[in-house]
């Protein structure tokens, strides 16, 4: 009995001593902090980058990087084979190979020039008008395995700069390739290469810098262009109009029926454009996040609305809907939602698609007749008109809840006029200079026989 009592006393004493020692530790509270509470230091946020910087590999977001590499492949798919098939189906049989060869050659040429100079001029910090030469020949796009560091752009610090440079290259390629539709069936292949090469440096790179590099003058002004309404579509469409005016119309234009080679190819090309456009617009979020998801959704809605709007407009005016009209309408919807994709709600995207489908149908018919230019495949009527409609509607419909910014119709109009004015003037100067030096058009014999034989000594098989 005595031993039991003794054991109980010892246990009680040990429990008391343990309670006292715990009470002496400062309490951690969840409400109002006491004077004895232990507080962790507040986390510090690194200042935003203002120029390309080497960072540790661990700071790269793997999901964002994987998505951006996928998006880059999707945008390149829009050109090869998307644009090549879309345009080749609409030209006459004797110019199909020349049209495809032009797109392939442009892809290769612009890629080399982007590596050499274009990327640096477009996306390096510099003046409000142009970037510096710090990225000449992709200099500095480093990956240092031994130290585990990689270079990132100040515009996209979550992915390697090499990935960002390639994503932007795919935009430079398709913008130049879009112009082919304005001068098919009559431009010398050599003159085309010289023009596009100079254009990618003199026209595309500065405009991309104005809009997408944070120090560009339109970016500083607050112009909104999520994925290229002005940089890609207004730029290509207006430059294409300059080509059409300076080259002059195709022989027989307005007097002969120019039968498309194969609208089935055009439909396949349009389908590739539609799918690839998800990389175009959703990829411009530069992240695998909710904004990219919404951009994908509004892209599809606008394309569908554009196709239906063009179809019904054509049905009313011509009495019948056409496959070519449906394909053109879906492209019109895609073009118009491009500047707005990261700023608008799905209901706004539906409205943009409907307006663009009707406006671009008029652009490819009534407006085209008013302008009097042989814009062969309606590059201005679809891309410039759609880009203008989308850019202005972005100013009216941008949702601060979606994009974190408010739009301004006035600012958007300044951006449209600035890009269109420079693109037209600079393109015209380049074309006139080349015409003086080496000529622009093939001779009458080659144009009559077709550019496939005359420029490439090739023809489609039976």
């Amino acid at each position: 009995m005595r031993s039991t009592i003794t054991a109980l006393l010892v246990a009680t004493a040990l429990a008391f001593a343990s309670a006292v020692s715990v009470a002496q530790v400062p309490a951690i509270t969840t409400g109002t902090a006491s004077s004895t509470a232990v507080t962790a230091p507040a986390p510090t946020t690194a200042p935003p980058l203002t120029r390309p910087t080497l960072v540790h590999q661990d700071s790269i977001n793997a999901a964002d990087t994987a998505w951006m590499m996928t998006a880059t492949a999707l945008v390149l798919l829009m050109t090869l084979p998307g644009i090549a098939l879309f345009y080749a189906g609409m030209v006459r049989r004797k110019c199909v190979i020349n049209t495809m060869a032009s797109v392939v050659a442009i892809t290769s040429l612009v890629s080399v020039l982007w590596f050499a100079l274009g990327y640096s001029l477009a996306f390096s910090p510099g003046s409000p008008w142009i970037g510096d030469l710090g990225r000449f020949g992709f200099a500095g796009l480093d990956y240092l395995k031994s130290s585990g560091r990689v270079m990132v752009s100040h515009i996209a610090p979550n992915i390697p700069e090499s990935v960002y440079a390639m994503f932007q290259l795919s935009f430079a390629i398709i913008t130049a390739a879009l112009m082919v539709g304005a001068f098919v069936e009559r431009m010398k292949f050599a003159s085309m290469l010289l023009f596009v090469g100079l254009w990618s440096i003199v026209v595309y790179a500065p405009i991309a810098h104005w809009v997408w590099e944070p120090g560009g003058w339109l970016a500083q002004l607050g112009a909104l262009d999520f994925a290229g309404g002005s940089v890609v579509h207004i730029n290509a469409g207006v430059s294409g109009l300059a080509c059409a005016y300076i080259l002059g119309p195709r022989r027989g234009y307005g007097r002969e029926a120019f039968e498309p080679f194969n609208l089935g190819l055009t439909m396949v090309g349009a389908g590739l454009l539609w799918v690839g456009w998800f990389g175009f617009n959703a990829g411009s979020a530069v992240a695998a996040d909710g904004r990219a998801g919404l951009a994908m959704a509004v892209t599809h809605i606008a394309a569908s609305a554009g196709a239906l709007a063009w179809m019904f407009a054509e049905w009313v005016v011509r009495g019948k809907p056409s496959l070519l009209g449906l394909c053109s309408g879906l492209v019109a919807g895609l073009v118009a939602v491009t500047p707005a994709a990261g700023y608008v709600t799905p209901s706004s995207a539906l409205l943009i698609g409907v307006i663009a489908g009707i406006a671009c149908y008029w652009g490819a018919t009534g407006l085209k007749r008013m302008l009097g230019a042989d814009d062969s495949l309606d590059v201005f009527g679809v891309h410039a008109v759609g880009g203008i409609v989308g850019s202005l509607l972005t100013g009216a419909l941008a949702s601060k809840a979606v994009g974190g910014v408010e739009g301004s119709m006035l600012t958007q109009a300044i951006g449209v006029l600035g890009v269109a004015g420079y693109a037209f003037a600079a393109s015209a100067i380049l074309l006139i200079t080349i015409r003086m030096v080496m000529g622009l058009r093939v001779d009458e014999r080659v144009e009559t026989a077709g550019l496939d034989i005359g420029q490439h000594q090739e023809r489609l098989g039976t």
Side-chain angles (χ1 to χ4, degrees):
M1 182 68 178
R2 183 179 297 174
S3 61
T4 302
I5 293 173
T6 301
L8 288 172
L9 290 173
V10 170
T12 302
L14 290 173
F16 179 76
S18 176
V20 170
S21 65
V22 171
Q24 290 173 346
V25 177
I28 298 176
T29 62
T30 57
T32 303
S34 67
S35 60
T36 58
V38 177
T39 57
T44 57
T45 302
L49 301 180
T50 57
R51 61 185 312 104
T53 305
L54 271 173
V55 300
H56 197 274
Q57 177 74 16
D58 291 345
S59 68
I60 297 297
N61 187 298
D64 293 348
T65 301
W67 162 236
M68 292 307 297
M69 292 172 72
T70 303
T72 300
L74 285 170
V75 180
L76 185 58
L77 185 74
M78 293 170 67
T79 304
L80 293 175
I83 288 293
L85 291 171
F86 186 71
Y87 282 170
M90 287 190 280
V91 299
R92 288 173 289 180
R93 181 185 181 90
K94 61 185 179 180
C95 294
V96 171
I97 287 175
N98 173 257
T99 302
M100 289 185 164
S102 296
V103 175
V104 175
I106 285 172
T107 300
S108 304
L109 176 63
V110 172
S111 296
V112 172
L113 292 173
W114 189 253
F115 157 77
L117 190 59
Y119 176 68
S120 190
L121 294 177
F123 290 100
S124 293
S127 74
W129 310 102
I130 199 71
D132 60 32
L133 298 180
R135 287 293 180 263
F136 183 86
F138 274 10
L141 270 65
D142 298 324
Y143 170 64
L144 306 177
K145 182 175 178 62
S146 59
S147 60
R149 294 195 298 169
V150 64
M151 185 67 73
V152 299
S153 169
H154 56 298
I155 306 172
N158 52 320
I159 63 175
E161 189 177 9
S162 57
V163 175
Y164 184 70
M166 286 297 296
F167 180 66
Q168 290 297 343
L169 167 60
S170 65
F171 278 66
I173 288 170
I174 194 170
T175 308
L178 287 172
M179 292 190 296
V180 171
F183 55 69
V184 290
E185 302 191 325
R186 61 199 188 276
M187 192 172 189
K188 289 181 179 179
F189 193 74
S191 300
M192 180 274 295
L193 288 176
L194 180 58
F195 167 67
V196 169
L198 293 171
W199 183 90
S200 69
I201 300 299
V202 175
V203 181
Y204 182 82
I207 289 176
H209 183 82
W210 297 353
V211 177
W212 285 335
E213 208 286 322
W217 73 274
L218 284 174
Q220 291 289 314
L221 192 64
L224 304 180
D225 187 358
F226 189 70
S230 58
V231 178
V232 176
H233 299 292
I234 295 175
N235 190 4
V238 170
S239 298
L241 183 65
C243 291
Y245 274 132
I246 292 171
L247 277 165
R250 292 165 290 177
R251 301 184 188 281
Y253 176 70
R255 302 188 305 275
E256 301 175 11
F258 290 176
E259 289 292 331
F261 165 63
N262 187 335
L263 290 180
L265 293 183
T266 297
M267 185 272 158
V268 173
L272 288 167
L273 287 171
W274 194 335
V275 174
W277 224 290
F278 295 136
F280 201 85
N281 285 357
S284 292
V286 199
D289 61 7
R291 196 179 192 192
L294 185 61
M296 182 177 184
V298 301
T299 297
H300 190 75
I301 291 168
S304 304
L308 292 174
W310 185 304
M311 180 189 74
F312 283 118
E314 187 178 42
W315 210 334
V316 170
V317 174
R318 296 180 63 245
K320 287 183 171 59
S322 69
L323 173 62
L324 181 57
L326 280 163
C327 293
S328 301
L330 74 87
V331 172
L334 291 167
V335 168
V337 81
T338 290
Y343 302 112
V344 299
T345 62
S347 57
S348 294
L350 182 70
L351 178 62
I352 289 172
V354 170
I355 295 174
I358 297 171
C360 291
Y361 174 68
W362 172 72
T365 53
L367 179 61
K368 183 176 183 176
R369 288 191 293 270
M370 291 169 57
L371 294 173
D374 181 12
D375 174 13
S376 311
L377 307 182
D378 299 315
V379 179
F380 181 84
V382 174
H383 293 277
V385 172
I388 291 168
V389 167
S391 294
L392 295 177
L393 288 177
T394 300
L397 300 174
S399 168
K400 192 171 183 179
V402 173
V405 294
E406 293 180 346
S408 164
M409 289 280 284
L410 177 60
T411 301
Q412 295 300 103
I414 293 172
V416 166
L417 291 173
V419 169
Y422 178 75
F424 188 89
S427 298
I429 291 170
L430 290 174
L431 288 162
I432 292 170
T433 303
I434 294 170
R435 184 172 64 184
M436 293 171 58
V437 173
M438 59 186 296
L440 286 174
R441 285 189 70 138
V442 298
D443 61 37
E444 183 176 358
R445 177 184 57 81
V446 171
E447 187 172 342
T448 301
L451 274 65
D452 290 359
I453 287 292
Q455 294 285 283
H456 309 285
Q457 205 60 39
E458 295 175 303
R459 61 160 48 97
L460 287 175
T462 57

